[in-house]
Each structure stands twice: as C-alpha cells, then as structure tokens.
C-alpha cells in the first residue's frame, strides 16, 4: 500500500536546530499531550502544515518518546495530482513506522480549511461527552455538543475565514460523527461535518475522541486545550445535574465614563 | 486603542538575571499554573507590582511558554495621571502580543488594596463552585461562597491591613460577581465587591474563574492554592452530600501545664 | 529461602550505557509508572525478558527512585532445570533488596506466552473495576471485565501468536482472578486464566491490580496504558449510568471511489 | 516565644553534598509532596530524625521551593531536659521563617514511637475520609477509618516494635482525632491516640489531614503513599456505594507441589 520513499529519503526535511521547526514541534507537542492524557497508548496524533509541506506523526509510536526522525513528510500539491486519492506519496518516510491512519483526516483540515495544524486526541472527556449525548437520545445519531455561558468559550475562533472569537454568551457547537471500524473511513464523515458546520474548528468522533484544527499550531493547540477544558467541565456538570445550555441575561457594565 | 511604546521600549525593565525579578517570576509562575489547570488555553493570567511598576502577562499567550520579553510594564503613577481611565501608557510593550483584558482588574487590586501580586485563574473548581451556587438558588445573583471548619481556611489573611490569618472555625466568604461579555467590564463589579467585602482577598467570577491577590507574590500564590484546594473540596463535598457550612463546637486542648 | 548469588555477582549484567538496556529501561519505566499512580508505595513492578535473561525490579523499592544496580537477573533455562520450582537461582542480585513476590507471575508470562515484558500495577482504576464487578454479582467469582465499541480497544493485540489488533466493535475480555494472601500464590490462578483465556494479554486481580504483558516492552507498556484508560473510562461510565457493553450497528464508510 | 539561635547558628548542620542528608531530603520530599497535593498553600510538612538530631521544615514556606537553609534543627536530648515543655531550643534556625506548629506533633512520633521520619499532609482524600465518617455518624467523635481486603493494606507495618506487615485480609484501622483551633494543641490528642492504638503508624485529623510516621524516611514515605491511595480508593468506593469493610473468605492457593 505505502509507496517506497525516494532513494535519498529527504531526511533533511526533518533535520533542524530550530525548536519551532515542525519536525521538532510535533514531538514536543505530543510529549505534552501524553501528560494530558490525550494520546494514551499510541492513540491520537498531530500534524503540522508549513505551506505545501505536511509533517505527520507516524502510527503506533509512543507519543511521549517520538523523535524528529519518526516524522512523515508529504507535499499537498503532489498529493492533489495523485489519481488514486487513497495512495500517498511521501517525500520522506521514517525507517521504522507505518503512516498514520489519521493522515486523510489531517489532509481534510489542510485542504478544506487551509489549517496549519490538526490535532487528534483520545481524551476521556471527549469520549464521555459523546457517551452522555448518546445516553440522552438512545438510538440517535448526528449528535451535537452544545454549551454556552462559560468564559472559556472565548477560546474559539468565530469560524473559517472569520476574524475574532466567540463571545461568552455564544453557543459553541461541536458536531459528533459516527465512528467507523477503520479510522481512515472517517474521512468522508469529517468532510461532511465540515460542510454542514462551516464554522467549526473541531469534530467529535463518537466513542473515539476529537479532531481539532487551527490556522496555526498556536490556535490548534489552544483550541484543543479549551475544548478539553469544556468537555471536562461538561462531564462534571452532568454529574452535578447542571445543564450545559443556560438562559442567562447578559450583564451590562455599569461604567458610564 | 493601545498607545505606542516609547522608541527605546525600555526593554531593560524585563531583563534581569535574578529569578525573583517580576519579569522572570511571572513566566515561571504561569508555567506552574498551567500544570495546575489554572490557565488553560491562554486563559487566566498574573501580574506583579514592584513599588510603582506593574508587570503584566500579555493576552493570548500560551502560559507555559511565556518568556520575560513577553511582559508588559506600566507605571501606576503615570496611569493615575491619565485623563482617560481606559487608556494605558505602557513603559514597555512586547513586540508580538496585545495587552491583557485583565489589566484594569489587576490595577484595581494594586490601587484599592495595595496588593503586590494578583492572579486570575479559570480553574474548573472555581467555575463549578459558582455553578453549584447558581443551582442552589435559580435566578439568583450576588452569590457568596462560604465554608468553615476546614483547616486550609487558615491559609487566608484576616483582611486588608489586618494582621494574622483566619482560624479553623472562621467562615471564609468569597463573593461571586456576575460575568460580563468583555473581561474589562468586570472592573466595576470587582471594585464594588472590594468595597462590599473589605476583607476579602479574592473574588469569584460566575462561570468564569477567580481573581485573587496578596501583599506579595508569596501570599497571592499560596492564597490562590488554598482557595483552589477549598473549591475542589467543596465540589467533592457537594457530590457526597456534605454541606459546606457546619456547626462544630470548638475542641479545647486538654493540656494544663 | 533466597539462594546466595555467585561470588562475582555478575554486576556487568546490569551495567550498560544503552538507555534501551533492560537494566536501564526498568527504572525509567517504573519512574513513569509512579507518576501514573500505578506503583504507589512500592506496590506493582515490572520485568523484561531479553532472550534467556529475565530482569526484575526488586521488592520494597520506591519505584520512582529505582536504579539499574537494584535489578535482579535470572536465566529462564537455568530456572527450567531447577527441581524446586519455588526456588530461584539469580545470576545477579542487588545487595540491598529482596526478590519480588511477583517473580513467578512474571515468569508465567515469559514461559507460557513468550512475552518480552510484563507489568504489574496497583492502579486505582483496575481495583475499582473489580469492585464494581463484585458489586454487580455479590458472592460471585470468576468475573470478567468486558467492554466494546470504544476506539481504544484497538490498542490490544488479537491474541497469542495471532497477528493484528482487536477492532472497534470487538469485545475486549479481561479475566479477573481471586486475590490470595501471598502474591506468589497467585501464580496458579494466573496460569489457569492464561489457559482459559488463551488470547488475553492481561489478567485483573480482584481488589489488587493488574498483570499485563506483551511481546516486547513497547507492546506491554502501550497495552497497559490502553487498559488503564479503559478501566478509568469504565469507572466514569458506571458513575454516569452508561453500560460497558453496547449494541451499536457498524457504520460503513460512504466512500465509493 | 522562640528562643534565639546560638551566635554561630550551626549552619553546618544543614550543609551537605549528600542528597540523603536530612537537610537535603526534606526539601526534595516536600517538592514531591507538593505535586501530589499533600502540602498545598504552605500546608503540611515533614520532619526527619537522625539519632538525636531532628530536622524540621519551617512554617509558612512554599513546600516546592524549600531549600536546605530553611530547615530547623533541634536536639531531642536537649529538648528532654527543658523544664518548659512548650519552649524549644533550636540548635539551628533559618533566618527568614518561624518554627512549624507541627513541631510538638513530630516530636511525639520521635519520642513515643522512636520514629525516624514523620509526614503531615493536608491531602483532600484524608479530609474527605473524615468528612464521610462524620456524615455516617452525625454528632459523633472518636471516629476510626477501617478498611480490609485491599492489596495495598500490605504497605503497612504490623505495629510498633513488631516485625512484618499487615496482610491482605487484615483490617487497617486509623484513628481520627478532633481538630483544634491551634495545631500545637493537637499534640495531646495525638499522644492519646498513640496510647489507645499502640500499633498505628498514622492518625487522621478531622477536617484537617494526616500525620504518618515510620522507622525511617523510606517507611514513612511509602506508608503515607499507601494511605493516600487507600483514602482515595475509599472516597471512590463511597461514591459507587461499595462498603470499605467486606467479608471475603480467604482464597487458598491450589498449588500442591
């Protein structure tokens, strides 16, 4: 399935002294994500796009131990010219690993949303939120996670090609797609959700986890943190019997200077 | 909105080899707060006052990655002379960030309470405490968090310009102010709460988080830790059906030597 | 009970500059496990097999402080020739510690399953899962932990000498054995469970913890992480009233290219 | 109240290159305890006895930032000769801090039990266990925490001057003493509990925390970890409706070789 890398393997693409280089950033981010419980047991992953080049964590690696030489690199332009959309031509492949099954999902964020970074977590809180939604509507599908009137909602952008962030009273909506037996088969569902929810920066996968992206690494990472915070809060609210959506009249400032 | 920094930008104000210098302390404190879940996803912040100079973490920075060169510095005296109370004249501004929306709230702690440090967290426990108060009095406002007969209450000072700390049997009271759409609009509410609760060192913000201050960095940080401990305990007590206020007769020591 | 080590004590067996050497890996793994709450208060342990040689953490050591010189080494071949199955001939013994009571259980994984690594944890989540099973069938024995339709299930191999991993819809089954007063007396029960569940890579011990193994360190460690994740999720699902086994019809991919 | 230290202040007592020296161990242990949530906001503390010398963390220090030069040292023999049992003659005092109010409680463990180390935590789990006991017997006093049939119970010694540890089926009993307004007034209650429970290595303080000791640092620290594990488990069992005491018939090993 995986085409062989070129003879020279372009190892220079993952060699840099700059800690901000994608091949260095992905391992340091993933080590941090491991401590947060997002990428337990080789689950989850991350990918960064730098112009035409896409850097991807491999499959099956212990995320807190990943090294720059474990990173795959591919070209979006070369990929777009490929006749077989399911094949990948990697500019650079690591010697020991297989490509991530998340690859087509990361590519969807890069091509359909011009994202600069996409993160996939298996966070407990994300999974529990989808289980609670399912419990509230047995047999249902096409769930949405909705929450409002929580300050951390401001951590999200208003949407694709829109400037500014959501406000405190806005309702954050994250669609939930069905999980499939094979991760790469999620791609169509992810793309559908992107079409149906043009302003979302994230998609929950039922009983699986989260995909979240942003214009750059900073935005993807901080949006992922804010979402995980909200999912945890939502589970705790559920345990305390507090609804996720509330009707709170805006409080106006009293200052009149 | 933001006035331009002076031509030389006073970068020396944030350059020091001393780890106790405010420009070094704010990043190291914020990195610690990030691991505690207090400043997730660029939320929260911290500010230190050294005599007339105020050092402030910028807006939108990943708190665990902050550097001394990211810090704003302003003069309280210069600020007091400003005719427009909403404008700020920064002695030193970082090249890449915007000023924090928390700035006027930090200034309130410095000017109204002569605090030496003010910390703002988005801690889950703080938010959950405000949600539980709201659940117990639907439609209510002007909530107070009250707890007594817990040893950790001793971690708090008795109040502004009072010496000594609260005792085990004392009731710690933390007022809760309403959240506003824009963080800077909280300032009036915070100042009102300071007037109404002259001895409090902290104010909860509904569905948002906590502001806590102290005479110096040590006191602000340890009071913030103790409060977060008590909020977590309070949420766990609620889940177990244990009330926050109890009527326990003081136990006297038996020693008679 | 413990035979004396040879005069030279073979200290070279635990001296290596290679961080991947078992005598270096066991301490670094155990330090990581301590931060995960798996080996609290000297509980739990880990063992690595390199061909005929077995490296074992000692009894009673603070796991986050363990050093290569604390490691026991024995030979599987020499052990197999021993007439007394309960005695051990160590090629190398540390000067300050006693052998781990887990030793015969680790050996069972190495001899009956050709495992390359075996991990024993006292994780809260593992203990709570056995308590929940007990609560659901008072007076029962021979419990099984069963869960399906959770993505993290894919982190497990299909079974001994089978290639590939479990799928999302597969039911992961982990047998629970009774705890005994002395840890080494668990060996028979562990071996029985291995016989009865030929494809399992793990056995829960009631009110005690978990034994998990894998073909190599990577597989044992990542399977242990995935199991702990699932146990934690299972406890949280129980608290929310969500069943561990669900009947979800597979979702097929829509792509037809 | 505090007698002045001798003119030379004996600073050499806290200066050593040996990481196992008490003046180095107390800061490294306390930094670890801070990450475990045991010494939040300057709460809690630790003391080590080396023959006649007692090393004590000071009052009011941020435990994760403590340094060897912050440590108090006193002589048990000199203390025993003091006519006023409430005064302390410190061989060495730090320049910036006050003595810990825990001092007489640590001394009780050293003099009445010949302990080598005593640890005091404000762990949430310890406090919650006392709150649950109180909830189960409103108005009661003289509570006991009792748990059996959990493997981690083996982490405790059988008792003062007894060799060996508790077994899996044994019931671990930890007395709970009433909290007093001033920490030093707990001393009499602690000593009473030591008399009434001659084999205990720990005493819970209602709505306050835990005192735990051991023959040496290793035993005090690992017993403290095991207790905290059991308290956390007990709270989680309570939330799931699982009793702390169970009637489980011992399972005998089947091996007959």
């Amino acid at each position: 399935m995986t085409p062989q890398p070129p003879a020279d393997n372009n190892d220079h693409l993952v060699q840099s002294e700059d800690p901000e280089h994608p091949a260095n950033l992905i391992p340091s981010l993933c080590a941090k994500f491991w401590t947060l419980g997002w990428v337990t047991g080789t689950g989850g992953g991350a990918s960064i796009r730098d112009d035409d080049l896409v850097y991807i964590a491999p499959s099956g690696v212990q995320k807190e131990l990943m090294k720059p030489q474990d990173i795959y690199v591919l070209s979006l332009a070369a990929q777009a010219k490929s006749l077989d959309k399911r094949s990948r031509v990697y500019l650079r492949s690591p010697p020991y690993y297989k490509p991530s099954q998340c690859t087509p999902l990361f590519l969807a964020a890069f091509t359909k949303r011009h994202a600069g970074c996409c993160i996939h977590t298996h966070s407990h809180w994300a999974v529990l939120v989808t289980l609670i939604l399912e419990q509230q509507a047995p047999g249902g599908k096409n769930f949405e996670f909705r929450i409002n009137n929580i300050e951390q909602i401001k951590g999200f952008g208003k949407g694709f090609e829109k400037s500014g962030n959501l406000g405190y009273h806005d309702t954050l909506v994250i669609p939930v797609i069905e999980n499939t037996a094979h991760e790469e088969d999620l791609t169509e569902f992810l793309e559908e959700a992107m079409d149906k929810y043009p302003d979302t920066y994230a998609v929950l996968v039922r009983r699986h986890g989260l995909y979240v992206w942003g214009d750059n690494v900073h935005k993807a990472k901080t949006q992922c943190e804010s979402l995980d915070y909200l999912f945890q809060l939502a589970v705790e609210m559920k345990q305390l019997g507090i609804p996720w959506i509330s009707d709170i009249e805006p409080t106006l400032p009293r200052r009149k200077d």
Side-chain angles (χ1 to χ4, degrees), chain A:
Chain A
M1 289 272 294
T2 313
Q4 289 304 304
D8 72 355
N9 200 25
N10 287 317
D11 283 345
H12 69 278
L13 291 174
V14 297
Q15 294 164 339
S16 166
E17 299 290 309
D18 180 4
E20 301 296 311
H21 186 282
N24 294 329
L25 262 184
I26 289 175
S28 65
L29 282 170
C30 283
K32 192 179 282 186
F33 297 166
W34 186 84
T35 68
L36 295 171
W38 293 358
V39 292
T40 301
T42 84
S47 179
I48 296 174
R49 178 180 69 82
D50 182 8
D51 200 356
D52 178 58
L53 295 183
V54 173
Y55 299 79
I56 314 171
S59 176
V61 68
Q62 293 180 59
K63 294 294 185 299
E64 82 279 20
L65 303 179
M66 209 197 313
K67 292 183 174 57
Q69 56 263 37
D70 302 337
I71 304 290
Y72 280 90
V73 187
L74 61 72
S75 152
L76 279 184
Q79 189 65 42
K81 288 180 197 149
S82 166
L83 291 181
D84 176 359
K85 292 201 173 176
R86 304 192 75 161
S87 85
R88 314 265 165 256
V89 186
Y90 291 99
L91 295 182
R92 196 268 164 182
S93 298
Y96 301 117
Y97 293 102
K98 290 184 182 169
S100 169
Q101 280 208 319
C102 309
T103 303
L105 293 107
F106 293 147
L107 293 181
F110 300 144
T111 54
K112 286 182 75 84
R113 296 300 175 90
H114 306 329
C117 176
C118 186
I119 299 167
H120 172 44
T121 86
H122 282 196
S123 165
H124 267 88
W125 307 115
V127 172
L128 284 169
V129 156
T130 71
L131 289 168
I132 290 169
L133 288 167
E134 187 183 283
Q135 182 187 35
Q136 290 172 343
K141 290 198 174 190
N142 303 314
F143 297 114
E144 289 174 350
F145 171 70
R146 302 173 76 91
I147 195 165
N148 70 354
N149 292 316
I150 300 290
E151 180 71 10
Q152 197 75 26
I153 289 168
K154 289 184 180 171
F156 287 84
K158 276 192 184 159
F160 183 48
E161 298 184 335
K162 294 177 178 171
S163 65
N165 276 27
L166 293 179
Y168 168 61
H169 296 294
D170 288 335
T171 298
L172 173 72
V173 181
I174 307 289
V176 184
I177 62 175
E178 296 298 302
N179 197 26
T180 52
H182 301 286
E183 188 139 11
E184 58 193 8
D185 291 334
L186 286 174
T187 315
E188 307 295 294
F189 295 112
L190 183 75
E191 291 175 345
E192 270 182 27
M194 285 173 165
D195 291 340
K196 191 170 167 196
Y197 298 84
D199 287 327
T200 193
Y201 283 102
V203 171
L204 280 159
V205 186
R206 188 171 163 182
R207 294 170 169 266
H208 178 156
L210 175 74
Y211 278 88
V212 58
W213 56 88
D215 293 347
N216 49 48
V217 172
H218 174 90
K219 287 193 179 172
K221 186 261 196 181
T222 58
Q223 290 192 146
C224 193
E225 277 188 52
S226 291
L227 263 186
D228 207 53
Y229 171 104
L230 288 167
F231 294 153
Q232 179 179 354
L233 190 68
V235 173
E236 292 162 340
M237 289 169 80
K238 173 72 182 174
Q239 285 171 331
L240 290 162
I242 297 166
W244 298 345
I245 292 288
S246 57
D247 184 18
I248 290 182
E249 205 173 323
T251 301
L252 299 176
R254 300 188 193 170
R255 187 165 40 195
K256 294 182 175 68
D257 55 317

